[in-house]
Amino acid sequence: MLERLAARCAEEPPARPLEVFAVDPYEAGAGRIWRTDQSPWFLMNTPAQEVTMFSGPADDGPHRPGAGPTLGEWWAEEDPAGAEPEGYAPRAVYGRYLTYVMARIEETLPPWLTVHRVPARVICADRAREGDGPDAGAHRLRLDRGDVLTVDRLVLATGHPLTELDAEQRAWQRFAKEHSTPARPVKYVAGGSASEMPLAEIPAGASVGILGMGLTFYDILTELTLGRGGTFTEGEEGLLYLPSGKEPRILAGSRGGVPLLTRGANQKGPEHRYRARLFTPERMAALRAGGAPLDFERTVLPWLLAEVNLVLLATRIRHAHGPEAAEEFTERGVALLDGRSDPRPRLLERLAAGHRIDARPLTGLDALARPFAGRRFGSSAEYHKVLTEWLRADRTPSGAAVPRASVPEAAGARARAASPVPHADAHRAAPATGPLARGAAPLPPGDAGQEAGRHLRRHGDADDHRPRRARDGDPAPPVQVTRGTGDPTDPTDSPPL
Ligand SMILES: Cc1cc2nc3c(=O)[nH]c(=O)nc-3n(C[C@H](O)[C@H](O)[C@H](O)COP(=O)(O)OP(=O)(O)OC[C@H]3O[C@@H](n4cnc5c(N)ncnc54)[C@H](O)[C@@H]3O)c2cc1C
């Protein structure tokens, strides 16, 4: 907002001078989520080159509102040796970029715009009523430091809120309290930003149960492994995790029993916009025109899947036969489905089959989210084996060779540094047989082992088009910490999941 306001004010003076009060108890610019002092192991989930806070690209002039670098460009300039503009920047790096943007805005303000940083929390906001004198109609912001700020306009940009515990979380908290003893303390840590969790307090060898295996799971996992001095090295079968000995024992579970899938290496510029061909606003408006509420699964999801499959299959064709073949497939696919009421995946599959590629489309989201639904495993070891194969397949390109530069290195590795168990079955899980319990985790062979970089990436194969199953800022998983013996053969040493 501030960047755009400043850019517009620089172009054309406002009717009267403007004063902006930027109120935040955290660092101005970076704010709470992007604090610059957080662990370098917490990464963004958006490729650096796709992120910009400037509303226009940098030009020959100084960086200023309307013209400045993307995060990737800025990072490459700031840290030429370490930056990975196509990869995922640590959140602290993005915080430094935001601090830079804030500084550039302040340093280039036109004379009729003033910005005040107010390092405080607003604890109450209301509007002055008629009869409240000259302030009538103004917004009054009571600050935690005691004073009141009165302004004409108020923009709430408070981001992810800090919430109170809900009933389930309170139950976890109670559970931890009831089971905690001085010899074996149990602590419940509610979800939120991993940088705000007391992860450093978890002693080596303690048992940590993580509920949920989405983005925050990876934050916690890296912090408790690589952040504790663990490293990856090249092994016979691929990457090996070499523990430092300071790690806790990690048990992770999610409703689907699988971690978040690897991310497609599909980096784009900040200006990129995909324009839907089938799942269009016009089509949805037409479906809504009937007036009755839409059934998402029956009416909306098929078109969403059709769009995904159009891109998925066109990409496989592009990898195998080049852009022209892909373009032709896209146009024929759109023409084929456009007039239909039911865009079944089989139709695109048949069309793609003539191109000598893997023409299997995505047929639904459930199979991705719950790949083991309804399946039973005889033992934890059997489940581990199946899961490992599934994770390998997730990383294996289904189309043409993946360009070397875009091969994931440790994204798959991350998934293997813990021993995930399906949530519902967690109480039956045998002592961990996973990599941490063994001390070193063999990882799949191939290019993935080439580069155990400082910055783990959140992407997968160029051909992996599976949708993300968690959104930015999804509720983070709670962490439950139990202090155990650290002995994987000790049956009493499993967390009370
Ligand atoms: C852990 C985490 C990781 C994320 N990673 C990514 C990512 O990689 N890529 C991405 O695109 N998005 C990510 N997101 C989403 C991200 O929060 C948004 O993209 C972006 O930060 C939203 O910007 P914002 O300015 O709306 O909110 P925020 O950046 O959250 O800023 C809101 C600010 O408001 C302040 N505030 C709140 N209440 C008050 C109050 N009462 N008084 C004064 N100040 C207050 C807070 O202190 C905070 O600094 C992530 C979110 C979380 C929680």
Side-chain angles (χ1 to χ4, degrees):
M1 280 225 35
L2 196 55
E3 193 270 351
R4 282 160 188 77
L5 187 66
R8 289 183 65 168
C9 282
E11 269 171 24
E12 200 182 325
R16 61 188 171 104
L18 287 180
E19 262 187 298
V20 173
F21 297 86
V23 189
D24 200 317
Y26 293 89
E27 246 171 289
R32 180 168 82 83
I33 298 301
W34 308 105
R35 275 170 34 190
T36 54
D37 60 356
Q38 62 188 295
S39 161
W41 295 107
F42 301 141
L43 304 186
M44 297 184 75
N45 54 51
T46 323
Q49 66 186 11
E50 291 179 19
V51 176
T52 187
M53 284 302 290
F54 289 100
S55 50
D59 57 17
D60 292 340
H63 298 158
R64 62 193 185 283
T70 64
L71 168 62
E73 290 163 349
W74 176 86
W75 192 18
E77 247 173 59
E78 278 292 295
D79 181 12
E84 293 181 42
E86 291 183 12
Y88 296 83
R91 296 212 276 272
V93 167
Y94 185 44
R96 284 188 7 238
Y97 170 75
L98 292 172
T99 305
Y100 174 75
V101 176
M102 183 77 185
R104 289 312 298 153
I105 293 172
E106 289 173 325
E107 286 157 14
T108 58
L109 286 174
W112 39 85
L113 178 60
T114 320
V115 175
H116 306 274
R117 298 181 181 202
V118 183
R121 179 178 302 282
V122 176
I123 50 172
C124 175
D126 68 357
R127 271 189 111 156
R129 296 199 197 103
E130 292 300 322
D132 279 353
D135 285 346
H139 296 269
R140 292 182 301 205
L141 311 179
R142 184 172 301 281
L143 306 180
D144 60 353
R145 61 187 191 189
D147 49 336
V148 174
L149 188 62
T150 305
V151 291
D152 300 317
R153 297 278 186 278
L154 174 64
V155 177
L156 288 181
T158 48
H160 287 273
L162 285 164
T163 53
E164 289 175 5
L165 298 189
D166 65 17
E168 191 187 346
Q169 291 171 318
R170 281 199 303 275
W172 279 111
Q173 194 178 45
R174 246 190 338 268
F175 180 94
K177 229 179 182 169
E178 283 164 15
H179 289 78
S180 191
T181 62
R184 194 180 158 97
V186 182
K187 186 170 179 185
Y188 170 71
V189 178
S193 176
S195 65
E196 291 165 355
M197 294 178 185
L199 300 178
E201 291 172 13
I202 299 171
S207 291
V208 178
I210 306 177
L211 306 184
M213 290 193 277
L215 295 179
T216 304
F217 161 71
Y218 287 110
D219 285 337
I220 297 169
L221 192 61
T222 36
E223 182 65 9
L224 293 178
T225 52
L226 298 169
R228 298 253 170 137
T231 50
F232 282 101
T233 187
E234 195 73 43
E236 272 178 25
E237 288 186 73
L239 280 183
L240 275 178
Y241 177 70
L242 298 180
S244 67
K246 295 183 189 146
E247 298 89 343
R249 177 175 169 239
I250 300 169
L251 291 107
S254 72
R255 284 166 300 182
V258 289
L260 191 70
L261 294 167
T262 49
R263 188 67 76 78
N266 191 11
Q267 274 63 352
K268 309 169 198 78
E271 305 296 320
H272 178 89
R273 296 283 177 280
Y274 175 72
R275 205 170 58 79
R277 301 295 307 273
L278 295 167
F279 185 58
T280 57
E282 294 76 25
R283 189 180 306 280
M284 291 304 116
L287 289 172
R288 272 207 200 97
L294 293 186
D295 180 317
F296 178 80
E297 297 224 342
R298 226 158 26 93
T299 317
V300 179
L301 185 58
W303 286 106
L304 184 57
L305 280 177
E307 189 73 51
V308 168
N309 283 323
L310 191 72
V311 177
L312 169 70
L313 298 172
T315 306
R316 286 188 190 148
I317 292 169
R318 192 173 67 246
H319 279 267
H321 307 295
E324 275 175 27
E327 181 65 21
E328 189 199 329
F329 167 81
T330 301
E331 295 309 322
R332 290 180 60 196
V334 171
L336 177 70
L337 297 184
D338 223 5
R340 295 184 179 255
S341 57
D342 178 12
R344 272 169 299 144
R346 279 290 296 155
L347 297 168
L348 284 182
E349 183 178 4
R350 254 187 251 136
L351 188 64
H355 287 82
R356 286 171 288 115
I357 55 149
D358 172 4
R360 281 171 303 169
L362 183 69
T363 50
L365 302 181
D366 285 352
L368 284 181
R370 310 267 163 114
F372 306 131
R375 208 166 147 184
R376 299 204 72 76
F377 298 92
S379 65
S380 197
E382 184 192 335
Y383 172 68
H384 193 262
K385 184 168 172 287
V386 173
L387 177 68
T388 306
E389 282 162 9
W390 184 85
L391 289 169
R392 280 188 179 149
D394 176 44
R395 262 201 14 195
T396 307
S398 51
V402 180
R404 196 171 178 75
S406 61
V407 163
E409 64 273 26
R414 291 169 154 212
R416 290 161 179 82
S419 175
V421 290
H423 196 174
D425 288 341
H427 63 284
R428 288 194 265 112
T433 53
L436 282 190
R438 281 205 303 277
L443 290 163
D447 286 352
Q450 296 300 317
E451 205 193 334
R454 185 166 58 86
H455 302 120
L456 303 187
R457 293 179 182 175
R458 281 190 166 152
H459 64 238
D461 303 303
D463 242 2
D464 180 357
H465 304 275
R466 300 167 213 221
R468 285 178 69 201
R469 285 183 290 126
R471 296 298 322 156
D472 301 334
D474 275 354
V479 182
Q480 186 167 333
V481 181
T482 71
R483 184 147 193 205
T485 61
D487 176 2
T489 60
D490 176 357
T492 63
D493 191 35
S494 45
L497 281 169

